[in-house]
Amino acid sequence: MQRTFSIIKPDATRRNLTGAITQKFEDNGLRVVASKRIQMTTAQAEGFYEVHKDRPFFGELVEMMVSGPVVVQVLEGEDAVAKNREIMGATNPADAAPGTIRADFAESIGANSVHGSDSLENAGIEMAYFFNEDEIVG
Ligand code: CMP
């Protein structure tokens, strides 16, 4: 059993896709054990994506993440980190396999509907960034 961290991004909440995206997680064996809809501040988004701060797209990424509400979630299941990445599909929707969230819903590499942790270690760090222990209930 693993837990991973997910964000339903503003491009998706704007298009009322929170339920459709969550359904994909549940259909594929992941369980939502924490969830809240928040408006990220610029400082919060900059901190969350700090590893990307030297990338040319950093400003655009932060701007996108604060452009509307997001839904932050903790997903639990067998092999949850890898499974979530499979369900999301490739970062660039043009490369995402059919049936994945990004193939079905993403608009572009920037507006790609979801974020998911890329390792178990980062999953722990990322969920702690948005949730207290007592907000995660398995
Ligand atoms: P995410 O999984 O949230 O992690 C970093 C994000 O940066 C990534 O999804 C993309 O949405 C975004 N990103 C990556 N490459 C680019 C790019 N070339 N232009 C804009 N955004 C990008």
Side-chain angles (χ1 to χ4, degrees), residues 1-106:
M1 240 10 166
Q2 283 182 352
R3 285 176 174 174
T4 191
F5 175 74
S6 167
I7 304 177
I8 301 176
K9 296 186 179 185
D11 70 276
T13 61
R14 192 175 296 128
R15 287 175 290 146
N16 211 19
L17 292 170
T18 299
I21 288 172
T22 301
Q23 191 69 55
K24 294 250 195 207
F25 297 142
E26 294 183 343
D27 285 347
N28 287 283
L30 295 180
R31 178 177 288 272
V32 179
V33 295
S35 186
K36 59 186 171 190
R37 183 176 169 104
I38 59 167
Q39 172 63 54
M40 261 197 231
T41 64
T42 297
Q44 237 175 343
E46 284 173 349
F48 183 77
Y49 281 119
E50 184 157 21
V51 290
H52 296 306
K53 70 175 187 303
D54 296 327
R55 304 276 197 104
F57 57 81
F58 183 68
E60 189 188 317
L61 172 59
V62 169
E63 211 172 287
M64 204 284 290
M65 293 305 287
V66 304
S67 68
V70 300
V71 178
V72 290
Q73 297 179 315
V74 178
L75 308 175
E76 185 179 84
E78 208 172 299
D79 234 350
V81 174
K83 188 175 279 182
N84 183 37
R85 292 182 72 76
E86 226 178 277
I87 299 166
M88 289 192 298
T91 304
N92 186 344
D95 303 327
T100 59
I101 290 170
R102 284 163 170 164
D104 285 358
F105 302 128

